[in-house]
Amino acid sequence: MRAAAETLLSVRGVETYYGKIIALRGVDLEVSRGEIVTMIGANGAGKSTLMMTICGDPKPRNGQILYDGADITAMPTHEIMRLGIAQSPEGRRIFPRMTVMENLQMGASLVDPSYFEDDLKRVSELFPRLKERLHQRGGTLSGGEQQMLAIARALMGRPKLLLLDEPSLGLAPLIVKQIFETIRELNENEGLTVFLVEQNAFHALKLAHRGYVMVNGNITMSGTGAELLKREEVRAAYLEGGRH
Amino acid sequence: MASSTTRVKTSDEKPAGDQAEQASRGHAPRPAGPDGGSRFQNSLRDAAMAAFLVAVLGFFFIGLRTDIAPGGLDIKARWTAWIVSILVVFGGRLALNLFVFKAERPVTVGLGAQISAVGDALPGLGKWLVRALLAFALVLPFFFMTAFPGKERQYIDLAILIMTYIMLGWGLNIVVGLAGLLDLGYVAFYAVGAYSFALLAQYFDFGFWMALPLAGLLAAFWGIILGFPVLRLRGDYLAIVTLAFGEIIRIVLLNWYQFTNGPDGISGIPKPTLFGLEFSRGDDGFAAFFGLDYSPIHRFIYLYYIILVLALITNVVTIRLRKLPIGRAWEALREDEIACRSLGINTRNTKLTAFAIGAMFGGFAGSFFATRQGFISPESFTFIESAMILAIVVLGGLGSQIGVVVASVAMIGGIEMLRNLGFLSQIFGSGFDPVQYRMLIFGLAMVLIMVWKPRGLVSTREPTAVLKEKKLIDAEAVAQGEGH
């Protein structure tokens, strides 16, 4: 099921600052084509900053980000997105006063309009709930539906690499399971490469092929999902501790 | 005292959705005051407090007045005015307390729900309302000529004025309503359009129709000039910069005496022609050409149709743009800029096009204004104009095209109506001129609308894309700008 390990995204020694405060202290990371890679870590570890840095806002002060062999470090966000990276940002950020349909249209803005019908059908199959609510305003959806919409919107851009920032945030366990199941399907059936930032370490590591652990802007551990799940440090910091 | 009741009021009157809900499940009786006093006593005490406050504040503001007297200023006491204002506040506060603030069934609850119902019915009713209004707009000059002979000139002139504001409102709606960029300096583009035409006419003998596209282009160009430095700003910060921009343009026009003639303005701006036919008494005029008797009203009718067509073009372009990717991107930008960027939207270009296209229509309206007036000076382009246009857009409901029409008619027409209320001076004395109070009435109207329809008269947003049939879920309760 895993394609040959050809690197799609590689982050090399990236340091990102917010003013004088350092948020990422030289992060190295690789995502291969067809892989699900997850990044786990506590609040404020720098996971979302890394996600945003890959998308070009903020720009890293040092280091390099390569996507599909091209250097995207200095590119503006909208041009990075044109290369086939789609992001479901933290906090979902759907357009609340626009309908589900219009939200999806926004996701497809970079794609040839002739694909729209087919893509709409495809995401409706992935998320049947959205199909029922196509003409409802985004803001009237439940949290889980909004998350589905955020992912569906990202998929409308026909990405090669899907970046997901905490899709499980604030959702009921059952919905989280559904969403993660959909991500797995997308990866297995369509070979979509996924980079997932999560606090929900247990589910994320179970889903992912490989994982990284971030502490204070540094990557402290990496390995396959199963390996990391077994590691004492990970269990202590992110699993048992979080499941009281 | 007053503060406690005010707090109660605001907390349950804020969201319109809540209001409707409250009305539908019947209003629960309010508990009596903490001290157990009866409602009437509480109301009375509260009103007395308010009256006392007015007595204290009004002592200096109303009760005493300085007058110029020989050898300096003289203090004059106006005790009648002072006492009358105290009584008015006492009575008003008492009535509000009894019927609204402390009433078991406040009259405003039902009223608010009724007004909401009218507004919510608008989309359904909207199609017919729009058609009826359009049909009326098309025959309006002839309607006034037959219905009010002798007064038609005044009414058509008013219609031209209202239509100008409708066009400006629609133009600003692109920037504020769709793209969500709060622009307090929209009058700058109006001024650029007006001065472009006036100066082109003065220096190069341009006619209206030749200058019109150029004026639009120049205004769009200034829109981009303004757009660039404010790209990174949003909300309050953007509002301040655009406000300053509006003032800068006006002050430059005022002080660049050699070029713009400064405060003296530019006069003798040519009137528009119909394919070269002037609306004059001469043998080569419009009336002679068509074998009609000359009448000055012809020119007014012509001007009316020019602004009607210009406004309709603005409207059609906006409606079309909303359905295109660029228009959708504007609306998405209003909702969430970060999400837009993460979807690969070039937010810089999106904002600049919104500024440019909005400014362009402002420029068109400006050159129409110049040709209608025949004389322009920086006086016509003060901040109050920007505020008026913005008020039209906000009161009408951000992003709503028909809302702009309703708000323009109500506000511009309403202010003009005040001029006809001469009978009021018989009640309030000969010195009373209702026009003097128009800002007060204007403010009051705004407060009332914001209390009952906080998102504008027409607050439901019409979706631009539908798959099969429209299924609209009311979004009154949806928080604006909140993505989660």
Side-chain angles (χ1 to χ4, degrees), chain B residues 112-194:
Chain B
Q114 272 168 21
I115 292 177
S116 298
V118 171
D120 295 341
L122 261 181
L125 209 135
K127 219 195 264 171
W128 290 103
L129 183 71
V130 167
R131 283 177 195 164
L133 279 177
L134 182 64
F136 179 66
L138 285 174
V139 300
L140 181 138
F142 303 103
F143 169 76
F144 280 140
M145 276 162 76
T146 43
F148 303 98
K151 281 196 139 185
E152 71 265 31
R153 188 174 154 169
Q154 183 197 341
Y155 284 130
I156 293 175
D157 210 35
L158 176 59
I160 293 173
L161 187 69
I162 292 176
M163 205 51 93
T164 313
Y165 277 96
I166 290 177
M167 179 171 178
L168 286 168
W170 277 340
L172 186 62
N173 213 358
I174 295 176
V175 185
V176 181
L178 295 184
L181 304 162
L182 184 52
D183 186 349
L184 287 184
Y186 192 63
V187 79
F189 307 122
Y190 191 40
V192 167

Side-chain angles (χ1 to χ4, degrees), chain A residues 119-241:
Chain A
D119 288 353
L120 185 65
K121 227 165 134 187
R122 175 167 153 253
V123 297
S124 323
E125 276 161 20
L126 283 172
F127 301 105
R129 294 279 282 280
L130 291 183
K131 198 181 174 187
E132 294 163 24
R133 290 162 204 269
L134 220 45
H135 297 303
Q136 203 168 314
R137 289 167 211 281
T140 61
L141 300 182
S142 73
E145 288 162 350
Q146 289 192 6
Q147 185 60 58
M148 291 173 193
L149 177 57
I151 297 175
R153 188 178 64 180
L155 289 175
M156 290 301 284
R158 304 193 145 222
K160 285 183 255 173
L161 171 64
L162 178 64
L163 307 176
L164 297 173
D165 198 341
E166 299 220 23
S168 73
L169 194 73
L171 299 186
L174 199 66
I175 307 278
V176 174
K177 224 169 152 187
Q178 267 178 32
I179 285 177
F180 277 31
E181 200 42 55
T182 310
I183 297 170
R184 188 197 302 277
E185 274 171 33
L186 279 168
N187 173 262
E188 282 176 8
N189 303 340
E190 305 180 21
L192 181 72
T193 313
V194 180
F195 179 58
L196 171 71
V197 159
E198 257 303 337
Q199 282 207 57
N200 191 334
F202 181 70
H203 276 105
L205 289 174
K206 257 178 54 179
L207 172 74
H209 302 122
R210 287 191 304 115
Y212 293 88
V213 180
M214 184 175 263
V215 178
N216 250 331
N218 281 308
I219 289 186
T220 53
M221 271 177 270
S222 65
T224 66
E227 272 170 27
L228 285 176
L229 265 179
K230 278 185 219 134
R231 296 272 285 265
E232 258 326 295
E233 308 95 293
V234 176
R235 294 190 75 89
Y238 304 108
L239 298 174
E240 270 91 15

Side-chain angles (χ1 to χ4, degrees), chain B residues 28 103 265 309 311:
Chain B
V309 168

Side-chain angles (χ1 to χ4, degrees), chain A residues 57 77-78 81-82 87 91 93 95-99 101-102 105-106 109-110 134-137 139-140 146, chain B residues 328 332 335-336 339 341-342 344-346 455 461 464-467 469 471-473 475 478 482-484:
Chain A
D57 183 26
T77 306
H78 62 268
M81 297 302 166
R82 262 159 229 243
Q87 187 199 16
R93 293 195 171 271
F95 304 116
R97 291 186 69 199
M98 297 170 85
T99 61
M101 175 90 159
E102 287 168 315
Q105 281 183 326
M106 283 307 299
S109 12
L110 297 179
L134 220 45
H135 297 303
Q136 203 168 314
R137 289 167 211 281
T140 61
Q146 289 192 6
Chain B
R328 217 180 297 126
E335 308 272 291
D336 196 323
R341 232 178 278 138
S342 81
I345 306 291
N346 186 336
R455 309 256 309 260
R461 177 184 166 275
T464 58
V466 274
L467 205 57
E469 84 276 31
K471 249 195 291 175
L472 210 95
I473 308 297
V478 179
E482 284 292 320
H484 39 90

